[in-house]
Amino acid sequence: MGLGCWPAWPCLSGCAEEQIPTGYMENSVSYSAIEDVQLLSWENAPKYCLQLTIPGGTVLLQAANSYLRDQWFHSLQWKKKIYKYKKVLSNPSRWEVVLKEIRTLVDMALTSPLQDDSINQAPLEIVSKLLSENTNLTTQEHENIIVAIAPLLENNHPPPDLCEFFCKHCRERPRSMVVIEVFTPVVQRILKHNMDFGKCPRLRLFTQEYILALNELNAGMEVVKKFIQSMHGPTGHCPHPRVLPNLVAVCLAAIYSCYEEFINSRDNSPSLKEIRNGCQQPCDRKPTLPLRLLHPSPDLVSQEATLSEARLKSVVVASSEIHVEVERTSTAKPALTASTGNDSEPNLIDCLMVSPACSTMSIELGPQADRTLGCYVEILKLLSDYDDWRPSLASLLQPIPFPKEALAHEKFTKELKYVIQRFAEDPRQEVHSCLLSVRAGKDGWFQLYSPGGVACDDDGELFASMVHILMGSCYKTKKFLLSLAENKLGPCMLLALRGNQTMVEILCLMLEYNIIDNNDTQLQIISTLESTDVGKRMYEQLCDRQRELKELQRKGGPTRLTLPSKSTDADLARLLSSGSFGNLENLSLAFTNVTSACAEHLIKLPSLKQLNLWSTQFGDAGLRLLSEHLTMLQVLNLCETPVTDAGLLALSSMKSLCSLNMNSTKLSADTYEDLKAKLPNLKEVDVRYTEAW
């Protein structure tokens, strides 16, 4: 950089008659060539000049006023010294001398009258380059340099290379006092003033490592909690609008990094579309998937034939940090909301829903990744405790900005449940409305933590509280009820069967608003309501308003009945005791938690012809009881049940059986031959994944 852009003036000590050309210099003068800079003035003459001493002579610069002349003077002085320090620090020999020069450089920047960002940034860049070129420094030398440049960091962001050096120090010496005393104000300034981590990602990484270093101290999360409190401030409203989004950005990036190794290896794992469509195997086998909306009474025979094709083998992806096992089994609920003819990328949650031919992932993080995940999920929980931050936090998390591996990780979803619970408890609509999806056709936290979602671990307690708060605000509409009826009718009935008052109210509203068209489903809802005291009372109040419901019930019980997923023997007993089921012909208990103990209730259904026990714990004892009483049974699905030859042999007395599914049971070849000989009407049989296959 030269001085060629400034006008040059002749030396006034020369001969008065000598003609010296004026104007712009033909060649620029480099800053490093300037030997001295002096202020010049004359009495009784408004001449504001600078005299530059260079090899071979002097140069005069005239300014329009004294302020501009002084600015030139200080600028030239500062630039001249910067070149000097660059030269001195480029070839360090003795580090005690280097440290002294750094301190002098910092003092020069702090005392300079110039007002420009580069005044403080230039020394930081010099030190940053020095550290990057000298990686063999001792820990004490590192700390001395950090302490020396600390005053410059109070009002300036550290440059990228310096951020990397700070990150390394946080990782290697998290308990160093430098982290608390020097880095804390730096990170506080970053969180308060940074506008876009995308333009300076190393600032985000430094903030991330600093928080992890705090978590490594003896007090651990207590120190992190105090830091978050200091960022929020003592009042009820945080005065710094950038703190929350910056903290959330750091948390999201840190959580993403925990699963990064597996995310980078996705080329070796099923794509999102493959997971939704059953993950086509190398043999080009394309399983047929049930792509229907939740139907209250699916055809049992066609369901068996369709879903039995959904058995796929395991895909295992392992890494040093993460071990992920993607199991493709058919142990899930028999009906799933999906879209037909849609080739767009599926929802993340849809890919992970426990459903036929969809995956469940068992993720194991390494120790470091596990600590990182625990720290930053805890920070999200801390953020959700502040009333003024909660609306913005809910809005930032509404699109579910986490990788699908995190959503499939039980520890992550279990810890994050606290945050979602805080949203569900908040009476403000701008908060709890963020539980729903950002747009139609996409899933939100409401779907993720509802029964059937991968994050649900409480049998629907959080789901019930979310429905309660949503129905209590502006969501008490037919559209919202219709959405529940299409996608979450099973969980609603199961929770109502267990006495949840919110779900009882939901079912009553569905009947009152004529949301359910199918008579069998209406009758099942009525039976569910009458199985509990609160449900019976609310249903009676509803019947007083609508006589047609009473008329519907007089016609008899339903012919088809599907119990919601995760129903138990007690749920079945409570439901069957609530009304008349003498007309029941088709009963599906698939993917519930029923056992052989429910057989004593099943044998009391005289008209039962089709029974689906797929993926339950129904065993030999129950099978023997059924064979003695349900002689008219025509269709029986025992796929993936723990039955053995001891119980299967008893089926030989059920002469009416025409369809029998023993897929993935402990059936032997001899027992299969014996059953074929004794069951003349048996036309459809499935013995895949058994000894008889």
Side-chain angles (χ1 to χ4, degrees), residues 231-242:
M231 295 309 305
H232 180 276
T235 63
H237 185 80
C238 178
H240 306 289
R242 294 301 309 166

mmCIF file with all atom_site columns, all heavy atoms in Angstrom, residues 231-242:
data_model
loop_
_atom_site.group_PDB
_atom_site.id
_atom_site.type_symbol
_atom_site.label_atom_id
_atom_site.label_alt_id
_atom_site.label_comp_id
_atom_site.label_asym_id
_atom_site.label_entity_id
_atom_site.label_seq_id
_atom_site.pdbx_PDB_ins_code
_atom_site.Cartn_x
_atom_site.Cartn_y
_atom_site.Cartn_z
_atom_site.occupancy
_atom_site.B_iso_or_equiv
_atom_site.pdbx_formal_charge
_atom_site.auth_seq_id
_atom_site.auth_comp_id
_atom_site.auth_asym_id
_atom_site.auth_atom_id
_atom_site.pdbx_PDB_model_num
ATOM 1  N N   . MET A 1 231 ? -26.351 -14.545 30.894 1.00 0.00 ? 231 MET A N   1
ATOM 2  C CA  . MET A 1 231 ? -26.691 -14.079 29.558 1.00 0.00 ? 231 MET A CA  1
ATOM 3  C C   . MET A 1 231 ? -28.116 -13.537 29.512 1.00 0.00 ? 231 MET A C   1
ATOM 4  O O   . MET A 1 231 ? -28.412 -12.608 28.759 1.00 0.00 ? 231 MET A O   1
ATOM 5  C CB  . MET A 1 231 ? -26.541 -15.219 28.540 1.00 0.00 ? 231 MET A CB  1
ATOM 6  C CG  . MET A 1 231 ? -25.121 -15.721 28.353 1.00 0.00 ? 231 MET A CG  1
ATOM 7  S SD  . MET A 1 231 ? -23.912 -14.417 28.021 1.00 0.00 ? 231 MET A SD  1
ATOM 8  C CE  . MET A 1 231 ? -24.632 -13.630 26.599 1.00 0.00 ? 231 MET A CE  1
ATOM 9  N N   . HIS A 1 232 ? -29.006 -14.115 30.300 1.00 0.00 ? 232 HIS A N   1
ATOM 10 C CA  . HIS A 1 232 ? -30.384 -13.632 30.315 1.00 0.00 ? 232 HIS A CA  1
ATOM 11 C C   . HIS A 1 232 ? -30.509 -12.323 31.078 1.00 0.00 ? 232 HIS A C   1
ATOM 12 O O   . HIS A 1 232 ? -31.233 -11.414 30.660 1.00 0.00 ? 232 HIS A O   1
ATOM 13 C CB  . HIS A 1 232 ? -31.306 -14.691 30.930 1.00 0.00 ? 232 HIS A CB  1
ATOM 14 C CG  . HIS A 1 232 ? -32.744 -14.279 30.989 1.00 0.00 ? 232 HIS A CG  1
ATOM 15 N ND1 . HIS A 1 232 ? -33.262 -13.504 32.023 1.00 0.00 ? 232 HIS A ND1 1
ATOM 16 C CD2 . HIS A 1 232 ? -33.772 -14.521 30.156 1.00 0.00 ? 232 HIS A CD2 1
ATOM 17 C CE1 . HIS A 1 232 ? -34.541 -13.291 31.803 1.00 0.00 ? 232 HIS A CE1 1
ATOM 18 N NE2 . HIS A 1 232 ? -34.884 -13.897 30.680 1.00 0.00 ? 232 HIS A NE2 1
ATOM 19 N N   . GLY A 1 233 ? -29.803 -12.220 32.172 1.00 0.00 ? 233 GLY A N   1
ATOM 20 C CA  . GLY A 1 233 ? -29.891 -11.025 33.000 1.00 0.00 ? 233 GLY A CA  1
ATOM 21 C C   . GLY A 1 233 ? -30.827 -11.227 34.178 1.00 0.00 ? 233 GLY A C   1
ATOM 22 O O   . GLY A 1 233 ? -31.623 -12.174 34.210 1.00 0.00 ? 233 GLY A O   1
ATOM 23 N N   . PRO A 1 234 ? -30.782 -10.340 35.154 1.00 0.00 ? 234 PRO A N   1
ATOM 24 C CA  . PRO A 1 234 ? -31.557 -10.527 36.392 1.00 0.00 ? 234 PRO A CA  1
ATOM 25 C C   . PRO A 1 234 ? -33.040 -10.207 36.265 1.00 0.00 ? 234 PRO A C   1
ATOM 26 O O   . PRO A 1 234 ? -33.829 -10.591 37.106 1.00 0.00 ? 234 PRO A O   1
ATOM 27 C CB  . PRO A 1 234 ? -30.874 -9.567  37.374 1.00 0.00 ? 234 PRO A CB  1
ATOM 28 C CG  . PRO A 1 234 ? -30.315 -8.480  36.493 1.00 0.00 ? 234 PRO A CG  1
ATOM 29 C CD  . PRO A 1 234 ? -29.921 -9.144  35.210 1.00 0.00 ? 234 PRO A CD  1
ATOM 30 N N   . THR A 1 235 ? -33.432 -9.477  35.244 1.00 0.00 ? 235 THR A N   1
ATOM 31 C CA  . THR A 1 235 ? -34.831 -9.086  35.109 1.00 0.00 ? 235 THR A CA  1
ATOM 32 C C   . THR A 1 235 ? -35.638 -10.196 34.443 1.00 0.00 ? 235 THR A C   1
ATOM 33 O O   . THR A 1 235 ? -35.102 -11.200 33.980 1.00 0.00 ? 235 THR A O   1
ATOM 34 C CB  . THR A 1 235 ? -34.943 -7.792  34.284 1.00 0.00 ? 235 THR A CB  1
ATOM 35 O OG1 . THR A 1 235 ? -34.438 -8.044  32.962 1.00 0.00 ? 235 THR A OG1 1
ATOM 36 C CG2 . THR A 1 235 ? -34.147 -6.685  34.932 1.00 0.00 ? 235 THR A CG2 1
ATOM 37 N N   . GLY A 1 236 ? -36.942 -9.984  34.376 1.00 0.00 ? 236 GLY A N   1
ATOM 38 C CA  . GLY A 1 236 ? -37.811 -10.991 33.769 1.00 0.00 ? 236 GLY A CA  1
ATOM 39 C C   . GLY A 1 236 ? -37.750 -11.003 32.256 1.00 0.00 ? 236 GLY A C   1
ATOM 40 O O   . GLY A 1 236 ? -38.279 -11.916 31.624 1.00 0.00 ? 236 GLY A O   1
ATOM 41 N N   . HIS A 1 237 ? -37.122 -10.000 31.665 1.00 0.00 ? 237 HIS A N   1
ATOM 42 C CA  . HIS A 1 237 ? -37.027 -9.923  30.208 1.00 0.00 ? 237 HIS A CA  1
ATOM 43 C C   . HIS A 1 237 ? -35.577 -9.694  29.815 1.00 0.00 ? 237 HIS A C   1
ATOM 44 O O   . HIS A 1 237 ? -34.927 -8.760  30.293 1.00 0.00 ? 237 HIS A O   1
ATOM 45 C CB  . HIS A 1 237 ? -37.902 -8.785  29.679 1.00 0.00 ? 237 HIS A CB  1
ATOM 46 C CG  . HIS A 1 237 ? -37.956 -8.725  28.181 1.00 0.00 ? 237 HIS A CG  1
ATOM 47 N ND1 . HIS A 1 237 ? -38.768 -9.552  27.425 1.00 0.00 ? 237 HIS A ND1 1
ATOM 48 C CD2 . HIS A 1 237 ? -37.289 -7.946  27.301 1.00 0.00 ? 237 HIS A CD2 1
ATOM 49 C CE1 . HIS A 1 237 ? -38.605 -9.279  26.145 1.00 0.00 ? 237 HIS A CE1 1
ATOM 50 N NE2 . HIS A 1 237 ? -37.712 -8.303  26.045 1.00 0.00 ? 237 HIS A NE2 1
ATOM 51 N N   . CYS A 1 238 ? -35.056 -10.540 28.941 1.00 0.00 ? 238 CYS A N   1
ATOM 52 C CA  . CYS A 1 238 ? -33.659 -10.419 28.508 1.00 0.00 ? 238 CYS A CA  1
ATOM 53 C C   . CYS A 1 238 ? -33.504 -9.192  27.609 1.00 0.00 ? 238 CYS A C   1
ATOM 54 O O   . CYS A 1 238 ? -34.242 -9.046  26.624 1.00 0.00 ? 238 CYS A O   1
ATOM 55 C CB  . CYS A 1 238 ? -33.235 -11.680 27.749 1.00 0.00 ? 238 CYS A CB  1
ATOM 56 S SG  . CYS A 1 238 ? -31.534 -11.611 27.132 1.00 0.00 ? 238 CYS A SG  1
ATOM 57 N N   . PRO A 1 239 ? -32.554 -8.303  27.913 1.00 0.00 ? 239 PRO A N   1
ATOM 58 C CA  . PRO A 1 239 ? -32.406 -7.078  27.110 1.00 0.00 ? 239 PRO A CA  1
ATOM 59 C C   . PRO A 1 239 ? -31.657 -7.279  25.796 1.00 0.00 ? 239 PRO A C   1
ATOM 60 O O   . PRO A 1 239 ? -31.559 -6.346  25.012 1.00 0.00 ? 239 PRO A O   1
ATOM 61 C CB  . PRO A 1 239 ? -31.611 -6.160  28.053 1.00 0.00 ? 239 PRO A CB  1
ATOM 62 C CG  . PRO A 1 239 ? -30.797 -7.098  28.888 1.00 0.00 ? 239 PRO A CG  1
ATOM 63 C CD  . PRO A 1 239 ? -31.640 -8.336  29.066 1.00 0.00 ? 239 PRO A CD  1
ATOM 64 N N   . HIS A 1 240 ? -31.133 -8.459  25.571 1.00 0.00 ? 240 HIS A N   1
ATOM 65 C CA  . HIS A 1 240 ? -30.320 -8.699  24.375 1.00 0.00 ? 240 HIS A CA  1
ATOM 66 C C   . HIS A 1 240 ? -31.063 -9.652  23.437 1.00 0.00 ? 240 HIS A C   1
ATOM 67 O O   . HIS A 1 240 ? -31.125 -10.858 23.688 1.00 0.00 ? 240 HIS A O   1
ATOM 68 C CB  . HIS A 1 240 ? -28.964 -9.281  24.754 1.00 0.00 ? 240 HIS A CB  1
ATOM 69 C CG  . HIS A 1 240 ? -28.213 -8.470  25.773 1.00 0.00 ? 240 HIS A CG  1
ATOM 70 N ND1 . HIS A 1 240 ? -27.651 -7.249  25.476 1.00 0.00 ? 240 HIS A ND1 1
ATOM 71 C CD2 . HIS A 1 240 ? -27.968 -8.692  27.097 1.00 0.00 ? 240 HIS A CD2 1
ATOM 72 C CE1 . HIS A 1 240 ? -27.068 -6.759  26.561 1.00 0.00 ? 240 HIS A CE1 1
ATOM 73 N NE2 . HIS A 1 240 ? -27.248 -7.612  27.557 1.00 0.00 ? 240 HIS A NE2 1
ATOM 74 N N   . PRO A 1 241 ? -31.622 -9.155  22.346 1.00 0.00 ? 241 PRO A N   1
ATOM 75 C CA  . PRO A 1 241 ? -32.458 -9.999  21.479 1.00 0.00 ? 241 PRO A CA  1
ATOM 76 C C   . PRO A 1 241 ? -31.693 -11.080 20.726 1.00 0.00 ? 241 PRO A C   1
ATOM 77 O O   . PRO A 1 241 ? -32.301 -12.032 20.246 1.00 0.00 ? 241 PRO A O   1
ATOM 78 C CB  . PRO A 1 241 ? -33.078 -8.988  20.503 1.00 0.00 ? 241 PRO A CB  1
ATOM 79 C CG  . PRO A 1 241 ? -32.141 -7.818  20.505 1.00 0.00 ? 241 PRO A CG  1
ATOM 80 C CD  . PRO A 1 241 ? -31.574 -7.758  21.878 1.00 0.00 ? 241 PRO A CD  1
ATOM 81 N N   . ARG A 1 242 ? -30.368 -10.957 20.596 1.00 0.00 ? 242 ARG A N   1
ATOM 82 C CA  . ARG A 1 242 ? -29.606 -11.933 19.816 1.00 0.00 ? 242 ARG A CA  1
ATOM 83 C C   . ARG A 1 242 ? -29.134 -13.121 20.649 1.00 0.00 ? 242 ARG A C   1
ATOM 84 O O   . ARG A 1 242 ? -28.675 -14.126 20.094 1.00 0.00 ? 242 ARG A O   1
ATOM 85 C CB  . ARG A 1 242 ? -28.372 -11.259 19.192 1.00 0.00 ? 242 ARG A CB  1
ATOM 86 C CG  . ARG A 1 242 ? -28.676 -10.221 18.151 1.00 0.00 ? 242 ARG A CG  1
ATOM 87 C CD  . ARG A 1 242 ? -29.472 -10.785 16.992 1.00 0.00 ? 242 ARG A CD  1
ATOM 88 N NE  . ARG A 1 242 ? -28.860 -11.996 16.458 1.00 0.00 ? 242 ARG A NE  1
ATOM 89 C CZ  . ARG A 1 242 ? -29.457 -12.836 15.630 1.00 0.00 ? 242 ARG A CZ  1
ATOM 90 N NH1 . ARG A 1 242 ? -30.710 -12.606 15.280 1.00 0.00 ? 242 ARG A NH1 1
ATOM 91 N NH2 . ARG A 1 242 ? -28.837 -13.897 15.173 1.00 0.00 ? 242 ARG A NH2 1
#
